[in-house]
Amino acid sequence: MEFPVLDINGKKVSSVDLPDEIFGIPKENINTGLMHQLYVLQTSNARLGTHKTLTRGEVAMTTAKWYRQKGTGRARHGAQSAPHFVGGGQAHGPRPHKYTKNMPKQMRRIAIRNALSALVADEQLVVVDRFEASSPKTKDMAQTLNSLVGGHKALVLLADRNENVERGISNLADARYLRASYLNIRDLLSYDKVIVPLDALEVIKSIWGN
């Protein structure tokens, strides 16, 4: 698949051949259900699962009977730590547990390929010959991204560490950088545009290709 390559100013300078097995899945054949399954897996595995409430046996409160059983005209009650009293324990509250899910490696690979193909089909992929910055100024980086994506939320994939680019993007609310080797479904689906330099494209092809 021939795909245009832009320079840092957003002008076409050449074209590149994108592998069909990664970027060329037809739009009608894109498996959105599998992509959603991988997205749920990633967000679930990111949860700590440390939530916990105190039960009636764990609250810092005396368990002594707080008034006599008979003769008061009131309902009979035991410990004030019961759930229906203010300050009492929580009944059936959350307890620490794991949310981790599993998914076969081949299914994860297919889901990422479907996501990359969906970016191409929806014109959300931007391939540039190189993505560099002469200074780490946020203002300069904002102008560069505006030339490429026109104010859309953008994810910039990098092949290696680039301090100027990383520092310039860090202060932008609608942009993020990510190493191409850490490509994941959540970041791919969270941005309007994905900017891929040619060196980062080679990393993607080496990991997600045949």
Side-chain angles (χ1 to χ4, degrees):
M1 176 195 305
E2 289 294 321
F3 198 84
V5 178
L6 310 181
D7 62 11
I8 203 71
N9 298 314
K11 296 181 180 179
K12 181 179 178 180
V13 292
S14 62
S15 61
V16 64
D17 185 25
L18 298 181
D20 288 337
E21 68 271 13
I22 305 177
F23 299 95
I25 300 175
K27 189 170 185 178
E28 61 273 11
N29 294 336
I30 292 177
N31 193 335
T32 55
L34 187 61
M35 292 164 55
H36 176 264
Q37 186 176 344
L38 182 58
Y39 184 90
V40 171
L41 177 142
Q42 183 176 345
T43 54
S44 296
N45 291 355
R47 300 183 66 176
L48 296 178
T50 55
H51 42 40
K52 181 181 182 298
T53 56
L54 300 179
T55 64
R56 62 183 298 170
E58 296 170 330
V59 294
M61 184 178 294
T62 178
T63 58
K65 189 172 178 66
W66 55 311
Y67 60 80
R68 60 182 181 170
Q69 177 87 348
K70 295 179 180 297
T72 63
R74 301 177 63 182
R76 52 194 177 189
H77 289 300
Q80 200 171 355
S81 58
H84 53 284
F85 291 124
V86 175
Q90 177 72 40
H92 310 297
R95 311 297 291 178
H97 69 278
K98 294 182 178 180
Y99 287 91
T100 54
K101 299 178 182 295
N102 294 317
M103 189 175 182
K105 179 179 178 180
Q106 191 61 28
M107 290 179 64
R108 296 198 303 268
R109 291 179 62 84
I110 295 174
I112 293 294
R113 292 177 179 179
N114 275 264
L116 291 170
S117 295
L119 292 177
V120 174
D122 294 336
E123 299 181 352
Q124 293 179 274
L125 186 71
V126 179
V127 178
V128 295
D129 55 352
R130 56 186 176 84
F131 196 92
E132 299 176 351
S134 58
S135 69
K137 293 183 178 180
T138 302
K139 180 180 179 181
D140 295 341
M141 182 57 60
Q143 293 176 347
T144 298
L145 292 176
N146 186 60
S147 299
L148 291 173
V149 299
H152 290 90
K153 291 179 61 178
L155 174 67
V156 179
L157 300 181
L158 301 175
D160 297 299
R161 179 172 176 78
N162 189 319
E163 187 173 353
N164 285 345
V165 172
E166 294 174 6
R167 292 179 62 184
I169 292 178
S170 294
N171 290 329
L172 295 175
D174 293 333
R176 184 178 181 228
Y177 69 87
L178 181 72
R179 295 284 183 89
S181 55
Y182 297 150
L183 195 64
N184 62 87
I185 193 74
R186 182 173 63 180
D187 286 322
L188 286 178
L189 299 182
S190 298
Y191 293 87
D192 301 325
K193 300 286 185 178
V194 177
I195 300 174
V196 183
L198 290 178
D199 53 356
L201 179 61
E202 293 302 317
V203 175
I204 294 174
K205 287 161 50 174
S206 65
I207 296 175
W208 303 103
N210 289 330

